[in-house]
Amino acid sequence: MAIIIRGGTIVNADQTIKADVYCDEGKIKAIGLDLDVPSKTEVIDASGQLLMPGGIDPHTHMQLPFMGTVATEDFFTGTAAGLAGGTTTIIDFVIPNPQQGLMDAYKMWREWSEKSCSNYSFHVAVTWWDDSVHKDMGTLVREEGVNSFKHFMAYKNAIMADDEVLYNSFSRAVDLGAIVTAHAENGEMVYQLQRKLLEMGMTGPEAHPLSRPPAAEGEAANRAIRLAEVIGVPLYLVHVSTKDGLDEIIRARNAGQRVYGEVLAGHLLVDESVYQNPDFEFAAAHVMSPPFRAPEHQDALWKGLQSGNLQTTATDHCCFCADQKAAGKDDFTLIPNGTAGVEDRMTMLWTHGVGTGRLTPQEFVAVTSTNTAKIFNIHPRKGVIQVGADADIVIWDTEATKTISKDTHHQNIDFNIFEGRNVKGLPTNTICNGELKYADGELRVKANTGTYIKRPAFPSIFGALDKIAVKNKPVKVVR
Ligand code: DUC
Ligand code: ZN
Ligand code: ZN
């Protein structure tokens, strides 16, 4: 059914205007004051509220098989929880096991994700290399709308990509017009530190951050950036958690390199003291990689977001419950890594970003939606409220408050890293592809109603990059 949203103020990343929005057939069809619409149109009164582009979380892991178990949040419950928090699109990850074909893994994830109830898309991880991977990357870009490839520089003996894989994959991506992304932690350093800490008898979750020091991120960020520089491929670093990683991004951006950085709501708002908690369940519930950090890193991350050196916010939503975390009771390296947040990202960013004056409402829209849409080439279909865009809209009550809790959240996990936090600024209605999917505290969702979003390759960017790469072309000296 067509919807008209009346009385609200539209906040896009580039302008704020008071206007009604008419949506039909999944699209925004008209914007203006006192619009005339067909009589059967559903009317939503948004007086006194903001209308913002639906949130895009570029980093989730629904039902991920990982570390001997499977994440509890599936594509239905996870996309529903996202909608309850104002997020209308997730970009999840296909992660092939080493030696598993990329297309095989991609098909598996597409099957699992059919139960989604919002928009969803996939980055595909390159975890190993041979000719079939080279070929499958081409098929994914040309036929399946995958324009981003992920590289785990950590998780040695599992999904870690070494420099050879990184080099091959980055080179293939640049030829295809795709962007590369990386989880930047030096996997060898982490592995050796884990062994050493265990030998020292440090078996609890307090050892987790010690095994993944900021230098591990700084080194890997620099390595990925330098490889991308030489190859000429745009690079997106996921979950930047340290000043060390951020400084590498700033250096590269100042040198004119196309490098982007993502920050997690969790890294901005939870600090490393959680690992000192004497309660194993509490500390283990916070085990994710990279770990939560000391406050000086959090300050740097906020500044990175404010300055535009970090462009996007995400969650790395990856749910493991207490019984799963218990696998690492006697060995912290066996605690499944992951924490939740897809439902809370927008309100936590609003409360601590806009509510504190760090971000303007327009900047909030940029870092929760628009920038991600642009970086991953789905703008202006997504990330903006304008005629012709998909009707993904969150209606936002800046005065609404709640206290976050695992007892009331929609996420399928028995813990919330933001438990007890008071937030101000919440979605009252979430419209996804023109359908009202969340209204006044109630989800109105059905499984298998989501939309897979294809993301085209970047021809124009690569024209420019080719020209830059020419600079590095060898010139044979004639003797
Ligand atoms: N980090 C996590 O904490 N979980 C999933 C994968 C990752 O890189
Ligand atoms: Zn990661
Ligand atoms: Zn992740």
Side-chain angles (χ1 to χ4, degrees), residues 276-299:
Q276 299 299 325
N277 195 295
D279 177 6
F280 171 85
E281 269 193 19
F282 181 92
H286 289 90
V287 167
M288 66 156 305
S289 295
F292 298 115
R293 302 293 189 181
E296 69 256 28
H297 293 287
Q298 296 180 284
D299 288 348

Side-chain angles (χ1 to χ4, degrees), residues 368-433:
T368 56
S369 181
T370 314
N371 291 350
T372 296
K374 287 183 179 171
I375 292 169
F376 293 106
N377 210 17
I378 46 174
H379 186 273
R381 178 178 176 192
K382 303 288 185 195
V384 61
I385 297 179
Q386 70 177 35
V387 173
D390 288 353
D392 293 340
I393 298 169
V394 57
I395 304 179
W396 197 261
D397 181 348
T398 59
E399 296 303 310
T401 59
K402 76 169 183 184
T403 303
I404 292 178
S405 174
K406 68 172 173 40
D407 300 324
T408 47
H409 70 196
H410 298 83
Q411 302 170 136
N412 190 24
I413 181 172
D414 58 2
F415 194 86
N416 192 309
I417 56 170
F418 304 126
E419 185 72 32
R421 305 270 192 126
N422 297 318
V423 287
K424 186 172 177 198
L426 286 162
T428 55
N429 297 265
T430 308
I431 295 158
C432 183
N433 292 315

Side-chain angles (χ1 to χ4, degrees), residues 450-470:
T451 304
Y452 174 68
I453 303 298
K454 287 190 168 189
R455 294 175 292 118
F458 304 85
S460 56
I461 289 178
F462 285 98
L465 282 171
D466 276 348
K467 285 184 205 111
I468 293 164
V470 166

Side-chain angles (χ1 to χ4, degrees), residues 293-313:
R293 302 293 189 181
E296 69 256 28
H297 293 287
Q298 296 180 284
D299 288 348
L301 296 176
W302 273 113
K303 288 183 182 132
L305 200 57
Q306 291 170 267
S307 64
N309 283 310
L310 299 173
Q311 298 77 28
T312 67
T313 58

Side-chain angles (χ1 to χ4, degrees), residues 74-93:
D74 68 26
F75 278 90
F76 174 55
T77 60
T79 49
L83 289 165
T87 289
T88 50
T89 303
I90 60 165
I91 313 183
D92 209 274
F93 294 82

